[in-house]
Amino acid sequence: MKTDTKILSLYDVFLIAGVVVTNIVYSVLTGSIDMIGSLAGIAGVCCVVLVAKGSIWNYAFGLVNVSLYAVISYKAALYGDAGLNALYYLPMQFIGWWQWRKRGAATSKSASTEPDHDVRVKARRMTLKQRIGLTVGSAALVFAGGLLLEHLGDPQPYKDSATTVLSIIAQALMALAFMEQWALWIITNVISVVMWSVCVAGGEEHAGLMVIMWVFYLLNSLNGLRVWMRLSKGRP
């Protein structure tokens, strides 16, 4: 039976077009053009949309996003996010590409010798025991990270720790093609919207565009969970 290899749905186009238009409107309203913030946000939304679709090309846009976001986070004194992107997300773009190729994702339909081959990654699910371990371990690491960042003077230690720790775990689950990554992404996105909103109130550069980016991330993660529940059905 022929599989659906269509990449972008109308909802995906809405997300990408939405973040582009919102960035333009933001620039008009503020009277300034933030090229770094806009490029990071647009590349990031393109990346997560393609992740939700199971397309390996997400890593090309991810490379641009994480590089710029590391700089933006460092300037906002969000050192957990800055370190996460520079030291973890950046190399994980290459590791993820390699892992997804191993799990069946292709760069084009013609890359497969089978005419009906689905170019998307073969998603899978965790067992109940693995999910319990994931929950307990994540909570413990977030608390420990918050204590460390508080000691280092981070202005939002526990929010920063949560986004850092949960993103590290979610990125690893993403590279291994586990559906449960989306639960962590949803939590991370909600916290990130709150965290960057606080930065907006404090007048941090790029913060407004980061709020916009994370709102679109959240919308995509909800859709990603729906899509990956279907892609991973029957694949432990």
Side-chain angles (χ1 to χ4, degrees), residues 73-122:
S73 296
Y74 184 80
K75 291 170 68 175
L78 297 174
Y79 302 122
D81 265 8
L84 170 68
N85 281 266
L87 303 177
Y88 180 69
Y89 273 175
L90 190 59
M92 282 298 290
Q93 303 309 304
F94 301 100
I95 295 172
W97 177 283
W98 170 62
Q99 282 289 325
W100 278 36
R101 288 299 298 268
K102 287 180 63 177
R103 289 199 58 78
T107 55
S108 69
K109 188 175 180 180
S110 61
S112 171
T113 57
E114 300 177 19
D116 292 337
H117 178 70
D118 194 334
V119 300
R120 296 172 298 185
V121 69
K122 292 182 175 64

Side-chain angles (χ1 to χ4, degrees), residues 127-223:
T127 64
L128 177 59
K129 184 177 180 179
Q130 288 173 324
R131 289 178 180 176
I132 293 173
L134 174 66
T135 302
V136 174
S138 296
L141 288 172
V142 166
F143 180 72
L147 289 176
L148 175 61
L149 291 174
E150 186 175 29
H151 177 72
L152 294 175
D154 192 305
Q156 302 183 60
Y158 291 96
K159 294 188 191 75
D160 200 359
S161 174
T163 58
T164 302
V165 171
L166 297 182
S167 294
I168 288 174
I169 298 171
Q171 183 71 31
L173 294 180
M174 172 183 155
L176 297 172
F178 279 111
M179 177 271 292
E180 286 75 11
Q181 62 167 300
W182 292 105
L184 299 185
W185 287 131
I186 290 170
I187 296 171
T188 300
N189 294 340
V190 170
I191 295 173
S192 294
V193 169
V194 174
M195 186 170 68
W196 281 105
S197 295
V198 172
C199 290
V200 169
E204 293 290 347
E205 186 181 9
H206 311 297
L209 290 176
M210 293 302 97
V211 171
I212 293 171
M213 181 184 76
W214 284 105
V215 166
F216 278 96
Y217 277 11
L218 176 58
L219 293 175
N220 180 74
S221 62
L222 294 170
N223 184 56

Side-chain angles (χ1 to χ4, degrees), residues 13-87:
V13 173
F14 160 74
L15 290 178
I16 295 173
V19 73
V20 172
V21 171
T22 305
N23 272 262
I24 293 173
V25 171
Y26 179 87
S27 296
V28 172
L29 293 177
T30 58
S32 62
I33 299 176
D34 182 353
M35 291 301 297
I36 294 178
S38 294
L39 184 57
I42 293 170
V45 171
C46 289
C47 171
V48 297
V49 163
L50 292 175
V51 173
K53 305 301 289 187
S55 171
I56 195 172
W57 285 108
N58 78 84
Y59 290 107
F61 291 96
L63 191 61
V64 175
N65 172 257
V66 300
S67 300
L68 295 178
Y69 192 69
V71 175
I72 292 171
S73 296
Y74 184 80
K75 291 170 68 175
L78 297 174
Y79 302 122
D81 265 8
L84 170 68
N85 281 266
L87 303 177

